[in-house]
Amino acid sequence: MAENTHGFETLQIHAGAKPDPATGARNTPIYQTTAYAFRDADHAAALFNLQEVGFIYSRLTNPTVAVLQERIATLEGGVGAVCCSSGHAAQIMALFPLMGPGKNVVASTRLYGGTVTQFSQTIKRFGWSATFVDFDDTEAVKAAINDDTRAVFCESIANPGGYITDIDAISAITRAAGVPLIVDNTSATPYLCRPIEHGADIVVHSATKYLTGNGTVTGGCVVDSGKFDWSASDKFPSLSQPEPAYHGLKFHETFGPMAFTFHGIAIGLRDLGMTLNPQAAHYTLCGIETLSLRMERHVENAVKVAKWLENDLRVDYVTYAGLESSPYYGRIEKICPKGAGGLFTFAVKGGYDACVKLIDAMEIFSHVANLGDTRSLIIHPASTTHRQLSEEQQRAANAAPEVVRVSIGIENVEDLIADLDQALAKATA
Ligand SMILES: *Cc1c(COP(=O)(O)O)cnc(C)c1O
C-alpha cells in the first residue's frame, strides 16, 4: 500500500496489515505462539546474527505485535516502533539505549504523576537522574542541559492540567544541544498531534489510553523518527559503538535510521523483557481503527462540557487548553490543530468535602484511576492518587483539594452535562 499518499483515517485501519498469508484471514490473527520454527540451521544462525529479519521468540518479535508496531509508527510518521507491556515500560525502553550511570534526562514539571515518580525516584536505582524544569521557560530548559544530559522529555498535551508544550521551541534547543527530544504523546494521540513534525526525535505512548480506547489493555510503544544522528558525538555508545553481545556490531552503522528500533528489540526487549503480548496487541489494533472518530468526539464533548462547567456558579475554574480562557489556547493551532484532547481539571466551590461528595454522586462518570476510555471517568486526586502529598505539593501538581480530573468519554454530551449538574447540586447543597 502506498502509505505516504493515504490519509490518517485510511492508515489507522490498514497500515502494517494485510490478509494473513497463511489463511487469508482479513483481520490480523492473534499469533499466540512463543517460538517460530527455523527453516534450517543457516536460517537460525542468520536470525541470531541479525543478518536476516524474522521471528525467533515472542519476547523479541511476534507477528501480531509487529503489525501494531508498523501501524503506530506510520500514524506518528516514524520509521519504526517497539511495543512494550505498558506506557511506563515504553519510557524505560526509550531511555535505556541513551542513558547510563551518571547521565540525566531533562524533564518537564508537567508530566503524568506516575512519570514524575518513575523519573524522580525509581530511575535513580540505575544511576540515572532527572532534572525537572518549567518547559515554558526555554532559557531554563537550555540551562538545565549539561554534558551528562542524554535526553529531554515532555508531554505534547500534558495530563491533566490543560497544558500544551511548544514542541517546536523545545526541539530547537535539543537540536542545538545534540540530544534527542522524547515526547509522550499519550493524551493527544497522533490524530491530534504529530510530535515528529515539530522536531521530536522519539515518541512514547501508553497504548492503555486512547490508542486502545476502551480500557481493556495495558500497553505501550516507543516510536523512532529515524532522524537523530547517533554517531554525531560520542554520547550514545550503545548505538554508535561496537556491541559485544552481537560480535561487535555497530547498530547505527549497520541499521542506519532503524538503529534505535533494532536496538530496542535486540537489546531492550531481549534483556529487559517488557514485551507486549499478542492478545493485547490485537485489542489495540482493533481500537486504533476508530481512533480518529473517537478523538473527534472526545474533543467535541470535552469542549462542550468544559464550557458548561466554566459558566456554572458552583465551579471556580476549569483548566482546559480548548477554552479561550486558557493561557495555552493559542498553542492549539500550531501543536494540535484538531483539538486539545479530552482531559481537564476543574475546581469545585466547597473544596475537598464537596469534591468527595461530587465523586460519590456521579452516575454516568466512573470513579477510576484511568483515562482515555470511551466511558467518561472522574477522579479526585487529593483523596486518591495524590493523597500522600502535603497540600503545598498537591497545589504544585495541579491536584489541589478542590480539584477534580475528568476524562470525557464519547457518550451523549447532554447526558454527561446532566450527570455533572445533578452531582454538583448534591455536592454543594
Ligand atoms: C497512563 C500514562 C502513562 C503510563 O502508562 P501505563 O500504560 O499506565 O504504564 C504515561 N504517560 C501518560 C501521559 C499517561 O497518561
Side-chain angles (χ1 to χ4, degrees), residues 16-17 77 86 96 105 115 132 198 201 219 255-256 264 345 353 355 367 423-424:
S86 71
F96 181 64
V105 51
T115 306
F132 291 95
H198 299 280
D201 299 292
F255 300 112
T345 60
D353 294 339
C355 287
H367 182 200
L424 279 166

Side-chain angles (χ1 to χ4, degrees), residues 13-179:
I13 294 168
H14 292 287
K18 52 183 183 318
D20 180 46
T23 62
R26 188 61 195 87
N27 209 331
T28 301
I30 303 169
Y31 282 90
Q32 197 69 47
T33 182
T34 308
Y36 308 83
F38 306 122
R39 287 193 305 268
D40 51 36
D42 286 345
H43 177 223
L47 290 173
F48 277 96
N49 274 344
L50 300 184
Q51 284 158 336
E52 190 178 327
V53 177
F55 298 104
I56 299 176
Y57 186 67
S58 282
R59 171 155 32 81
L60 303 164
T61 47
N62 170 280
T64 313
V65 176
V67 173
L68 179 61
Q69 288 172 164
E70 192 172 335
R71 177 87 43 93
I72 299 175
T74 304
L75 295 179
E76 285 288 2
V79 296
V82 181
C83 284
C84 321
S85 51
S86 71
H88 270 5
Q91 293 171 189
I92 294 296
M93 285 279 292
L95 291 174
F96 181 64
L98 315 175
M99 303 283 279
K103 306 305 177 206
N104 69 71
V105 51
V106 171
S108 170
T109 47
R110 298 181 183 85
L111 293 178
Y112 176 72
T115 306
V116 174
T117 309
Q118 188 186 52
F119 283 11
S120 62
Q121 307 296 334
T122 305
I123 65 170
K124 285 199 267 188
R125 310 270 184 103
F126 305 140
W128 310 349
S129 66
T131 311
F132 291 95
V133 286
D134 177 356
F135 272 42
D136 276 347
D137 184 349
T138 48
E139 288 307 314
V141 177
K142 258 187 232 170
I145 298 174
N146 62 27
D147 288 346
D148 289 324
T149 302
R150 293 294 177 269
V152 171
F153 189 101
C154 62
E155 293 178 15
S156 47
I157 300 177
N159 165 11
Y163 175 80
I164 296 175
T165 306
D166 185 347
I167 305 171
D168 303 81
I170 302 298
S171 68
I173 296 170
T174 56
R175 236 187 333 276
V179 292

Side-chain angles (χ1 to χ4, degrees), residues 17 244 294:
R294 287 184 285 107

Side-chain angles (χ1 to χ4, degrees), residues 72-73 75-78 80-82 84 90-91 93-94 152-154 156 167 180-186 188-190 193-206 211 220-226 260:
I72 299 175
L75 295 179
E76 285 288 2
V82 181
C84 321
Q91 293 171 189
M93 285 279 292
V152 171
F153 189 101
C154 62
S156 47
I167 305 171
L181 173 62
I182 305 173
V183 175
D184 181 342
N185 201 30
T186 299
T189 80
C193 175
R194 306 233 309 165
I196 291 171
E197 289 173 4
H198 299 280
D201 299 292
I202 293 160
V203 174
V204 293
H205 274 283
S206 166
L211 291 184
C221 191
V222 186
V223 183
D224 180 28
S225 68
F260 189 86

Side-chain angles (χ1 to χ4, degrees), residues 324-347:
E324 282 171 52
S325 58
S326 165
Y328 300 103
Y329 187 73
R331 282 188 189 162
I332 292 179
E333 205 182 330
K334 182 163 99 173
I335 304 293
C336 47
K338 295 198 178 94
L343 301 173
F344 59 85
T345 60
F346 63 95

Side-chain angles (χ1 to χ4, degrees), residues 266-290:
I267 307 283
L269 289 182
R270 188 196 64 184
D271 296 343
L272 300 178
M274 301 167 166
T275 306
L276 186 71
N277 67 76
Q279 183 96 32
H282 175 77
Y283 288 139
T284 304
L285 280 167
C286 294
I288 286 184
E289 293 183 358
T290 57

